[in-house]
Amino acid sequence: MSQSRMVMALTGVFALSTLSNAAATGLNSAAKAAGLKYFGSATDNSELTDSAYTAVLDDTNQFGQITPGNTMKWVYTEPSQNSFSYTQGDQIANFAKTNGQLLRCHNLVWYQEAPSWVTSGSWTNASLIAAMQAHITNEVTHYKGQCYAWDVVNEALNDDGTYRQWELYNVIGPAYIPLAFEAAAAADPDVKLYYNDYNIETAGAKATAAQNLVKTIKAYGAKIDGIGLESHFIVGETPSASSQASNMASFTALGVEVAVTELDVRQTLPETSAQDQQQAKDYVSTVQACLQTKNCVGVTVWDFDDKYSWVPSTFSGQGAADLYNSAVQPKPAYTSVLSALNAAATAGSGSSSSAPTTLSTVSASPTSSPSSAPASGTVAEYGQCGGIGYTGPTVCESPYSCHSTNSYYSQCY
């Protein structure tokens, strides 16, 4: 357990009734009280014209982080070579900025939604590397200072752990991955850089391959800060909290943070009450796994309501995958997730099922919780100490100093 979460546990020992009375009423507020950095949602441009939808999305009590679902991807931002367009991506970036929400920028390199000039071009190794580097440099520079993190490379692995074959891999080879991270870091040294993928949420060949990617990128000398666990699950088939937490720890042991980046739990239609109840348990399993894992920084759902879910158009006969229904009303999963987050905050630990914390369990290990601070009013190592919308302590514990990552986030180290 991180130091900040231990401190919160101690507070609970002395003032449990006060904490219970102060239960958060929104997902993001509860997540931050439990020691996470954010609870967020993906969105897309067309959805921002729906006033009922945006009334929920722009409420930072509910969502403290935004991910653009599509319009920062390569096909949108560089539809023809060296011709860049950021109008649609900027709309979502400005939405987040106006609300004081963190922005997870998504994504720079992906085999899908790559422009045809990339996938059908006639390339040499050198010319395709140059084209990829130019794309990354231009886009990351455009959004410099606006993003908490970039998903630099997305879904580069097959389910058996082999590399996915597509234009960049076929021409450049696996080196395109560290080269992409190198280019992103050069364009913005402060933004966090992620590898993002699905079916790496539990131990197996693909998760092992993703861990090896982290090692490869680092061995190359490039920067990687995090792993995004997409977490697109099926009702009744979601991995347990313990198996997800164990797998998260296998990534954080490599010196990177993790985040749940695209969470949803799809049902077989028609939606039923029984599936809703199981869905609620499944959502909680993933949220608890993050809460239990040092250096799991947050949870993002993909999207938050069924009206705009990607599931029905992708998986025939399936849907009802989100926390809110199509009428933008909370479902049982929402209530269960909020309760789990509040329970974790009250207990002062990453799980409502954790053993009670006593004075003897306090650890002096560095904190992974950037939104929390020690009881002294100073901020521990790796904790947040500033940024747009931040209202907590700004003085770091000795011998650490507060350093600006971007306009939204400063950290003690």
Side-chain angles (χ1 to χ4, degrees):
M1 186 185 299
S2 68
Q3 184 178 0
S4 61
R5 294 178 192 176
M6 289 292 188
V7 170
M8 293 164 68
L10 288 177
T11 304
V13 171
F14 298 112
L16 182 58
S17 61
T18 300
L19 283 170
S20 298
N21 292 334
T25 58
L27 298 170
N28 184 55
S29 296
K32 293 175 74 173
L36 301 183
K37 184 170 180 59
Y38 59 79
F39 198 103
S41 178
T43 193
D44 223 328
N45 296 69
S46 61
E47 301 163 21
L48 300 183
T49 61
D50 184 333
S51 60
Y53 169 90
T54 57
V56 178
L57 185 64
D58 65 12
D59 180 1
T60 56
N61 184 45
Q62 297 292 358
F63 300 110
Q65 176 267 313
I66 300 295
T67 301
N70 283 291
T71 54
M72 287 187 182
K73 293 172 181 172
W74 200 341
V75 71
Y76 289 90
T77 57
E78 194 183 3
S80 58
Q81 190 170 11
N82 297 321
S83 178
F84 295 91
S85 175
Y86 297 115
T87 302
Q88 294 184 84
D90 287 350
Q91 183 184 10
I92 294 178
N94 291 335
F95 178 90
K97 183 176 181 179
T98 298
N99 295 328
Q101 294 163 312
L102 293 173
L103 183 68
R104 288 197 81 260
C105 293
H106 174 85
N107 58 57
L108 293 168
V109 175
W110 187 32
Y111 76 101
Q112 290 190 26
E113 295 190 70
S116 60
W117 66 265
V118 170
T119 57
S120 62
S122 179
W123 301 104
T124 65
N125 180 281
S127 65
L128 189 52
I129 289 174
M132 180 189 72
Q133 290 172 330
H135 163 68
I136 292 171
T137 299
N138 194 293
E139 183 163 10
V140 174
T141 300
H142 178 83
Y143 288 108
K144 186 174 183 178
Q146 299 182 58
C147 308
Y148 166 75
W150 263 110
D151 289 330
V152 178
V153 176
N154 202 57
E155 300 175 2
L157 298 170
N158 296 311
D159 281 346
D160 64 0
T162 59
Y163 287 102
R164 187 183 299 279
Q165 294 192 16
W166 70 293
E167 197 73 18
L168 266 65
Y169 176 81
N170 294 341
V171 175
I172 302 171
Y176 86 86
I177 298 172
L179 285 169
F181 277 85
E182 182 181 61
D188 186 351
D190 296 324
V191 70
K192 290 183 180 290
L193 305 180
Y194 270 66
Y195 174 74
N196 191 57
D197 213 332
Y198 64 92
N199 288 350
I200 60 169
E201 298 86 5
T202 55
K206 192 171 185 179
T208 299
Q211 292 154 25
N212 288 334
L213 267 186
V214 174
K215 298 174 185 177
T216 297
I217 292 165
K218 289 190 171 190
Y220 185 91
K223 172 189 172 184
I224 179 171
D225 300 290
I227 292 292
L229 307 167
E230 292 186 15
S231 306
H232 296 296
F233 294 132
I234 302 171
V235 163
E237 299 180 26
T238 297
S240 67
S242 60
S243 65
Q244 291 185 65
S246 175
N247 187 64
M248 289 177 182
S250 69
F251 284 106
T252 60
L254 301 176
V256 294
E257 66 185 34
V258 296
V260 177
T261 55
E262 303 184 18
L263 176 63
D264 51 29
V265 185
R266 61 186 183 267
Q267 301 186 22
T268 298
L269 299 176
E271 183 176 6
T272 65
S273 176
Q275 287 192 101
D276 281 346
Q277 296 304 317
Q278 182 60 50
Q279 182 184 61
K281 296 176 183 178
D282 292 343
Y283 263 98
V284 168
S285 292
T286 300
V287 170
Q288 284 187 335
C290 184
L291 289 166
Q292 291 167 10
T293 304
K294 178 181 177 181
N295 286 336
C296 182
V297 298
V299 175
T300 304
V301 292
W302 200 263
D303 200 309
F304 73 86
D305 80 323
D306 292 336
K307 182 177 181 179
Y308 297 113
S309 171
W310 72 295
V311 169
S313 63
T314 307
F315 300 96
S316 178
Q318 297 185 310
D322 296 330
L323 295 175
Y324 286 67
N325 63 23
S326 295
V328 201
Q329 297 299 314
K331 293 161 61 174
Y334 170 92
T335 304
S336 294
V337 168
L338 180 60
S339 295
L341 291 168
N342 275 319
T346 300
S349 70
S351 170
S352 58
S353 61
S354 297
T357 304
T358 64
L359 289 172
S360 63
T361 65
V362 175
S363 167
S365 62
T367 176
S368 66
S369 173
S371 61
S372 302
S376 64
T378 56
V379 184
E381 185 183 16
Y382 306 131
Q384 184 174 3
C385 53
I388 295 172
Y390 176 75
T391 59
T394 57
V395 177
C396 300
E397 285 187 332
S398 178
Y400 311 115
S401 300
C402 189
H403 299 269
S404 175
T405 297
N406 55 47
S407 57
Y408 292 94
Y409 185 60
S410 297
Q411 186 178 43
C412 292
Y413 56 88

